[in-house]
Amino acid sequence: DVKVTQSSRYLVKRTGEKVFLECVQDMDHENMFWYRQDPGLGLRLIYFSYDVKMKEKGDIPEGYSVSREKKERFSLILESASTNQTSMYLCASSEQGRRMNTEAFFGQGTRLTVV
Amino acid sequence: KNEVEQSPQNLTAQEGEFITINCSYSVGISALHWLQQHPGGGIVSLFMLSSGKKKHGRLIATINIQEKHSSLHITASHPRDSAVYICAVPRVQGAQKLVFGQGTRLTINP
């Protein structure tokens, strides 16, 4: 079974802190994603990586950065956490499809609270 | 108008009832995803389909590409089916980045 593992289920951080959310997948997938999920807004893409050291901005990248030094690991970084970044964060991975889409596999989510 | 619209937003039913959740989308797609999210947050992929119908246990997903519409059906619903069901389509045909519906919160009462 594909496993996408996020390092924490729950995190509480202070405003202004630098926050790292880690995601690891064990199926050698090329694509990895970071989403945030908020009530009434659904899932929104923050950043996408299609290969090691490659990244693309999603719909809401402001206030975030990412790092993909190894294929299996995709980190989301909040440079200076703010209260409006309190949210559920979900990581996902998928194979690199050529023309057809491939199935996406999600982690269990990290509920981040910034106080 | 959202690119992906789901209905209903909330659905409460009694155990054993037949459930239908609908998804309409406005972008051209190569495949549509149905996802399930239980309380606690983790998301599980249920189906990925590009035509016709797929069945897995009591879950059935159908898609009509011409009408840009998909349905998720649950037969003989059970309280453990209570979850949020989300449909998602690629933003651009063939691309990996998905755009998501708002989700349908399903509650099955015993």
Side-chain angles (χ1 to χ4, degrees):
Chain A
D1 278 353
V2 175
K3 229 180 183 169
V4 179
T5 305
Q6 294 181 228
S7 51
S8 305
R9 290 296 303 272
Y10 301 95
L11 270 181
V12 180
K13 296 292 181 181
R14 294 198 179 277
T15 301
E17 275 193 76
K18 189 168 186 175
V19 181
F20 292 86
L21 303 184
E22 306 285 349
C23 175
V24 177
Q25 50 93 4
D26 65 0
M27 281 300 291
D28 203 37
H29 285 169
E30 290 83 3
N31 300 321
M32 295 189 76
F33 308 82
W34 274 107
Y35 298 95
R36 64 177 282 177
Q37 186 180 32
D38 300 288
L41 297 175
L43 280 145
R44 293 178 291 166
L45 181 65
I46 305 171
Y47 265 99
F48 163 54
S49 170
Y50 50 92
D51 204 347
V52 175
K53 296 192 189 293
M54 306 303 284
K55 62 187 179 187
E56 261 186 43
K57 292 181 179 179
D59 298 318
I60 49 164
E62 296 79 19
Y64 303 94
S65 62
V66 290
S67 171
R68 189 141 181 227
E69 295 297 317
K70 293 185 178 181
K71 193 175 186 181
E72 67 270 18
R73 185 180 296 269
F74 191 35
S75 303
L76 180 70
I77 304 154
L78 287 64
E79 295 290 341
S80 177
S82 63
T83 54
N84 63 12
Q85 293 178 308
T86 292
S87 186
M88 169 71 88
Y89 290 87
L90 286 142
C91 174
S93 73
S94 67
E95 287 181 309
Q96 186 81 292
R98 288 184 185 273
R99 282 178 297 174
M100 294 297 292
N101 295 106
T102 58
E103 189 176 0
F105 296 85
F106 286 81
Q108 77 276 29
T110 297
R111 189 167 294 280
L112 173 67
T113 303
V114 182
V115 298
Chain B
K1 188 182 186 302
N2 291 334
E3 293 168 288
V4 183
E5 296 267 1
Q6 284 186 239
S7 63
Q9 289 188 21
N10 293 283
L11 178 57
T12 300
Q14 291 300 122
E15 184 173 356
E17 285 189 45
F18 181 81
I19 303 299
T20 296
I21 299 170
N22 296 300
C23 176
S24 297
Y25 52 91
S26 58
V27 296
I29 67 163
S30 48
L32 179 143
H33 303 250
W34 278 105
L35 310 168
Q36 180 191 54
Q37 185 175 31
H38 278 283
I43 291 177
V44 174
S45 176
L46 296 175
F47 296 103
M48 186 179 69
L49 68 165
S50 54
S51 64
K53 182 165 85 172
K54 282 192 175 180
K55 186 174 189 290
H56 185 250
R58 295 180 294 105
L59 272 60
I60 303 165
T62 63
I63 189 167
N64 185 319
I65 296 289
Q66 286 75 26
E67 294 188 3
K68 296 188 176 181
H69 181 268
S70 176
S71 293
L72 177 68
H73 305 285
I74 305 174
T75 62
S77 60
H78 189 276
R80 65 175 175 264
D81 298 324
S82 298
V84 176
Y85 293 85
I86 303 168
C87 73
V89 301
R91 188 178 297 273
V92 174
Q93 191 161 354
Q96 295 299 319
K97 288 182 278 188
L98 299 174
V99 58
F100 297 84
Q102 295 292 327
T104 295
R105 185 174 298 277
L106 174 66
T107 303
I108 304 295
N109 293 319

